[in-house]
Amino acid sequence: MVAAMLKSLLSRLIKECRSGKIGIIGGSGLDDPDILEGRTERYVDTPYGKPSDALILGKIKNVECVLLARHGRQHTIMPSNVNFRANIWALREEGCTHLVATTACGSLREEIQPGDIVIIDQFIDRTTKRHQTLYDGQPTSPPGVSHIPMAEPFCNKTRELLVEVARSLGVKCHVRGTMLTIEGPRFSSRAESLMFRQWGADVINMTTVPEVVLAKEAGLCYASIAMATDYDCWKEHEEVVCVDNVLKTMKENANKASSILLTAIPQISQMDWTQTTKNLKVSRPQSNTSVRSTGKPRSCFRATFLQISYHLFVFSLLFCTDSKVARKNPIIKAVSAEPL
């Protein structure tokens, strides 16, 4: 009986090393729920208000996923009014450990052509009206102040996988790029666009910040698939950016982002994320309690459970040092059969 219990605990520990649900934040024209099988909808509330729309739960090749339309499914929410904090909180509370976002963007570089994919690795923030922390001092928010490091905003391990998948699919992909996020909803002036190029920005949009900041603060592995739709307005003799052209390019190339998601997500679910998750936790404020969507504290049962499981597992190994006992022990067999 004890051996069976220990084997069950070990199985739970192994699952903890892998990803939970995969969150997908869909940008303009890239929030098609048809990529999910067995879809259901869930409307939720958070300490920061309601998310942009219902959470759409489903599976991609048997991997549990949660899709959220950043601007609402009818695209009724302008960038400044997106409730980024509620979106991130809702996805984390739903059990997501990873977020893969899609976004339309303008190109600030000749070599990044409309229709190209960019797996961005840095950002420049030019927003002015947005909440950039979950730790805002309110009674229903997590306690403490979060001075989170932002040298590497995006999850490099997830980024590398997305690049590898894009290349395997034959999708033209730029392996890195700096996203400049403006407040919007207007597009840039030509003077601004030229200045952003001088700053070293490669692409420009209205939503990466604060989404990536909040995701990292929440301890989530976040990566973004950016699709260039235009050359903004810096390039001479090129049609300047407008909504109609953006949507046209997105419609023509949305299958690229979808194919990357459909291929990458099953691979994400099979990878070991133990060290990545540990590194993210180090950056977050430490507390003995966390806050549910109701705003009420809850005990860290999960952490305690893992600690107990670990000690029981170590005890079982010490108990079974004799080779004859070890050969008969199902825990030892489980370790050899299923790698951590």
Coordinates of all heavy atoms in Angstrom, one line a residue, residues 279-323:
N279 N 13.6 29.3 -12.3 CA 14.2 30.7 -12.5 C 13.2 31.8 -12.5 O 13.4 32.9 -12.0 CB 14.9 30.6 -13.9 CG 16.2 29.8 -13.9 OD1 16.7 29.4 -12.8 ND2 16.6 29.4 -15.1
L280 N 12.0 31.5 -13.0 CA 10.9 32.5 -13.0 C 10.5 32.8 -11.6 O 10.2 33.9 -11.2 CB 9.7 32.0 -13.8 CG 9.9 32.1 -15.4 CD1 8.8 31.3 -16.0 CD2 9.9 33.5 -15.8
K281 N 10.4 31.8 -10.7 CA 9.9 31.9 -9.4 C 10.9 32.8 -8.6 O 10.5 33.5 -7.7 CB 9.7 30.6 -8.7 CG 8.5 29.9 -9.2 CD 8.3 28.5 -8.5 CE 7.0 27.8 -9.0 NZ 6.9 26.5 -8.3
V282 N 12.2 32.7 -8.9 CA 13.2 33.4 -8.1 C 13.0 34.9 -8.3 O 13.3 35.7 -7.4 CB 14.6 33.0 -8.6 CG1 15.7 34.0 -8.1 CG2 15.0 31.6 -8.2
S283 N 12.5 35.3 -9.5 CA 12.3 36.7 -9.8 C 11.1 37.3 -9.1 O 10.9 38.6 -9.1 CB 12.2 36.9 -11.3 OG 13.3 36.4 -11.9
R284 N 10.2 36.5 -8.6 CA 8.9 37.0 -8.1 C 9.0 37.2 -6.6 O 9.7 36.6 -5.9 CB 7.8 36.0 -8.4 CG 7.5 35.8 -9.9 CD 6.8 34.5 -10.2 NE 5.5 34.5 -9.5 CZ 4.8 33.4 -9.3 NH1 5.3 32.2 -9.7 NH2 3.7 33.4 -8.7
P285 N 8.2 38.2 -6.1 CA 8.1 38.4 -4.7 C 7.7 37.1 -4.0 O 6.7 36.5 -4.4 CB 7.0 39.5 -4.5 CG 7.0 40.2 -5.8 CD 7.3 39.1 -6.9
Q286 N 8.3 36.8 -2.9 CA 8.0 35.6 -2.1 C 7.0 35.9 -1.1 O 7.1 36.9 -0.3 CB 9.3 35.0 -1.5 CG 10.3 34.6 -2.6 CD 9.8 33.6 -3.5 OE1 9.3 32.6 -3.1 NE2 10.0 33.9 -4.8
S287 N 6.0 35.0 -0.9 CA 5.0 35.2 0.1 C 4.5 33.8 0.5 O 4.5 32.9 -0.3 CB 3.8 36.0 -0.4 OG 2.8 36.1 0.5
N288 N 4.0 33.7 1.7 CA 3.4 32.4 2.2 C 2.0 32.2 1.7 O 1.4 31.2 1.9 CB 3.4 32.3 3.7 CG 4.9 32.2 4.2 OD1 5.7 31.6 3.5 ND2 5.1 32.8 5.3
T289 N 1.4 33.2 1.1 CA 0.0 33.1 0.6 C 0.0 33.6 -0.8 O 0.8 34.4 -1.3 CB -1.0 33.9 1.4 OG1 -0.5 35.3 1.4 CG2 -1.0 33.5 2.9
S290 N -1.0 33.2 -1.5 CA -1.3 33.7 -2.9 C -2.8 34.1 -2.9 O -3.5 33.8 -1.9 CB -1.0 32.7 -4.0 OG -1.8 31.5 -3.8
V291 N -3.3 34.7 -3.9 CA -4.6 35.3 -4.0 C -5.4 34.7 -5.1 O -4.9 34.7 -6.3 CB -4.6 36.8 -4.1 CG1 -6.0 37.4 -4.1 CG2 -3.8 37.4 -3.0
R292 N -6.5 34.1 -4.8 CA -7.4 33.6 -5.9 C -8.2 34.8 -6.5 O -8.1 35.9 -6.1 CB -8.4 32.6 -5.3 CG -7.8 31.2 -5.1 CD -8.9 30.2 -4.8 NE -8.4 28.9 -4.6 CZ -8.0 28.1 -5.5 NH1 -8.2 28.4 -6.8 NH2 -7.6 26.9 -5.2
S293 N -9.0 34.5 -7.5 CA -9.8 35.5 -8.2 C -10.7 36.2 -7.3 O -11.2 37.3 -7.5 CB -10.5 34.9 -9.4 OG -11.3 33.9 -9.0
T294 N -11.1 35.6 -6.1 CA -12.0 36.2 -5.2 C -11.2 37.3 -4.3 O -11.8 38.1 -3.6 CB -12.5 35.2 -4.2 OG1 -11.4 34.5 -3.5 CG2 -13.4 34.2 -4.9
G295 N -9.9 37.2 -4.4 CA -9.1 38.1 -3.6 C -8.7 37.6 -2.2 O -8.1 38.2 -1.4
K296 N -9.2 36.4 -1.9 CA -8.9 35.8 -0.5 C -7.7 35.0 -0.6 O -7.4 34.3 -1.5 CB -10.1 35.0 -0.1 CG -11.4 35.7 0.0 CD -12.6 34.8 0.4 CE -13.9 35.6 0.6 NZ -15.0 34.8 0.9
P297 N -6.9 35.1 0.5 CA -5.6 34.3 0.5 C -5.9 32.8 0.6 O -6.9 32.3 1.0 CB -5.0 34.7 1.9 CG -5.6 36.0 2.2 CD -7.0 35.9 1.7
R298 N -4.9 32.0 0.0 CA -5.0 30.6 0.1 C -3.6 30.1 0.5 O -2.6 30.7 0.2 CB -5.4 30.0 -1.2 CG -4.5 30.3 -2.3 CD -4.8 29.5 -3.6 NE -4.0 29.9 -4.7 CZ -4.0 29.3 -5.8 NH1 -4.7 28.3 -6.1 NH2 -3.2 29.7 -6.8
S299 N -3.6 29.0 1.2 CA -2.3 28.4 1.6 C -1.6 27.8 0.5 O -2.2 27.4 -0.5 CB -2.5 27.4 2.7 OG -3.3 26.3 2.2
C300 N -0.3 27.7 0.5 CA 0.5 27.2 -0.6 C 0.5 25.6 -0.4 O 1.6 25.0 -0.2 CB 1.9 27.7 -0.6 SG 2.0 29.5 -0.9
F301 N -0.6 25.0 -0.6 CA -0.7 23.6 -0.5 C 0.1 22.8 -1.5 O 0.8 21.8 -1.2 CB -2.2 23.1 -0.7 CG -2.4 21.6 -0.7 CD1 -2.3 20.9 0.4 CD2 -2.5 21.0 -2.0 CE1 -2.5 19.5 0.3 CE2 -2.7 19.7 -2.0 CZ -2.7 18.9 -0.9
R302 N 0.2 23.4 -2.7 CA 0.9 22.7 -3.7 C 2.4 22.5 -3.4 O 3.0 21.5 -3.6 CB 0.7 23.4 -5.1 CG 1.4 22.7 -6.2 CD 1.2 23.6 -7.5 NE 1.9 23.0 -8.6 CZ 1.9 23.5 -9.8 NH1 1.3 24.6 -10.0 NH2 2.6 23.0 -10.8
A303 N 3.0 23.6 -2.9 CA 4.4 23.6 -2.5 C 4.6 22.6 -1.4 O 5.6 21.8 -1.4 CB 4.9 25.0 -2.1
T304 N 3.7 22.6 -0.4 CA 3.9 21.7 0.7 C 3.8 20.3 0.3 O 4.5 19.4 0.7 CB 2.8 22.0 1.8 OG1 2.9 23.4 2.2 CG2 3.0 21.1 3.0
F305 N 2.8 20.0 -0.6 CA 2.6 18.7 -1.2 C 3.9 18.2 -1.9 O 4.3 17.0 -1.7 CB 1.4 18.7 -2.1 CG 1.3 17.4 -2.9 CD1 0.6 16.3 -2.3 CD2 1.8 17.2 -4.1 CE1 0.4 15.1 -3.0 CE2 1.6 16.0 -4.8 CZ 0.9 15.0 -4.2
L306 N 4.5 19.0 -2.6 CA 5.7 18.6 -3.4 C 6.9 18.4 -2.4 O 7.6 17.4 -2.6 CB 6.1 19.7 -4.4 CG 5.2 19.9 -5.6 CD1 5.6 21.1 -6.4 CD2 5.2 18.6 -6.4
Q307 N 7.0 19.1 -1.4 CA 8.0 18.9 -0.4 C 7.9 17.6 0.3 O 8.8 16.8 0.5 CB 8.0 20.0 0.7 CG 8.5 21.4 0.1 CD 8.3 22.5 1.1 OE1 7.8 22.3 2.2 NE2 8.6 23.7 0.7
I308 N 6.6 17.3 0.7 CA 6.3 16.0 1.4 C 6.6 14.8 0.4 O 7.2 13.8 0.7 CB 4.9 15.9 1.9 CG1 4.7 17.0 3.0 CG2 4.5 14.5 2.3 CD1 3.2 17.1 3.4
S309 N 6.2 15.0 -0.9 CA 6.4 14.0 -1.9 C 7.9 13.7 -2.1 O 8.3 12.5 -2.2 CB 5.7 14.4 -3.2 OG 4.4 14.6 -3.0
Y310 N 8.6 14.8 -2.1 CA 10.1 14.6 -2.3 C 10.7 13.8 -1.2 O 11.5 12.9 -1.4 CB 10.7 16.0 -2.4 CG 12.2 16.0 -2.5 CD1 12.9 15.6 -3.6 CD2 13.0 16.3 -1.3 CE1 14.3 15.5 -3.6 CE2 14.3 16.2 -1.3 CZ 15.0 15.8 -2.5 OH 16.4 15.8 -2.5
H311 N 10.4 14.2 0.1 CA 11.0 13.5 1.2 C 10.5 12.0 1.3 O 11.3 11.1 1.6 CB 10.6 14.2 2.5 CG 11.3 15.5 2.6 ND1 12.7 15.7 2.7 CD2 10.8 16.8 2.8 CE1 13.0 16.9 2.8 NE2 11.8 17.6 2.8
L312 N 9.3 11.7 0.9 CA 8.8 10.3 0.9 C 9.6 9.5 -0.2 O 9.9 8.4 0.0 CB 7.3 10.3 0.6 CG 6.4 10.7 1.8 CD1 5.0 10.8 1.3 CD2 6.6 9.7 2.9
F313 N 9.8 10.2 -1.3 CA 10.5 9.5 -2.4 C 11.9 9.2 -2.0 O 12.4 8.1 -2.2 CB 10.5 10.5 -3.6 CG 11.3 9.9 -4.8 CD1 11.0 8.7 -5.3 CD2 12.3 10.7 -5.4 CE1 11.8 8.2 -6.4 CE2 13.0 10.2 -6.4 CZ 12.8 9.0 -6.9
V314 N 12.6 10.2 -1.4 CA 14.0 10.0 -0.9 C 14.0 8.8 0.1 O 14.9 8.0 0.1 CB 14.6 11.3 -0.4 CG1 15.9 11.0 0.3 CG2 14.8 12.3 -1.5
F315 N 13.1 8.8 1.0 CA 13.0 7.8 2.0 C 12.9 6.4 1.4 O 13.5 5.5 1.8 CB 11.8 8.1 3.0 CG 11.6 6.9 3.9 CD1 12.4 6.8 5.1 CD2 10.6 6.0 3.7 CE1 12.2 5.7 5.9 CE2 10.3 5.0 4.6 CZ 11.1 4.8 5.7
S316 N 12.0 6.3 0.3 CA 11.8 5.0 -0.3 C 13.1 4.5 -1.0 O 13.4 3.4 -1.0 CB 10.7 5.1 -1.4 OG 11.2 5.9 -2.5
L317 N 13.9 5.5 -1.5 CA 15.2 5.1 -2.1 C 16.2 4.6 -1.1 O 16.9 3.6 -1.3 CB 15.8 6.3 -2.9 CG 15.0 6.7 -4.2 CD1 15.7 7.9 -4.8 CD2 14.9 5.6 -5.2
L318 N 16.2 5.3 0.1 CA 17.1 4.9 1.1 C 16.7 3.5 1.7 O 17.5 2.7 2.0 CB 17.1 5.9 2.2 CG 17.7 7.3 1.9 CD1 17.5 8.3 3.0 CD2 19.2 7.1 1.6
F319 N 15.4 3.3 1.8 CA 14.9 2.1 2.3 C 15.2 0.9 1.4 O 15.4 -0.3 1.9 CB 13.4 2.2 2.5 CG 12.7 0.9 3.1 CD1 12.9 0.6 4.4 CD2 12.0 0.1 2.2 CE1 12.3 -0.6 4.9 CE2 11.4 -1.0 2.7 CZ 11.5 -1.4 4.0
C320 N 15.4 1.2 0.1 CA 15.6 0.1 -0.8 C 17.0 0.0 -1.4 O 17.2 -0.2 -2.5 CB 14.6 0.3 -2.0 SG 12.9 0.3 -1.5
T321 N 18.0 0.3 -0.5 CA 19.3 0.2 -1.0 C 19.8 -1.2 -1.3 O 20.7 -1.4 -2.1 CB 20.3 0.8 0.1 OG1 20.0 0.2 1.4 CG2 20.1 2.3 0.3
D322 N 19.2 -2.2 -0.6 CA 19.5 -3.6 -0.9 C 19.0 -3.9 -2.4 O 17.9 -3.6 -2.7 CB 18.8 -4.5 0.1 CG 19.2 -6.0 -0.2 OD1 20.3 -6.4 0.2 OD2 18.4 -6.6 -0.9
S323 N 19.9 -4.4 -3.2 CA 19.6 -4.7 -4.6 C 18.4 -5.6 -4.8 O 17.6 -5.4 -5.7 CB 20.8 -5.2 -5.3 OG 21.2 -6.5 -4.8

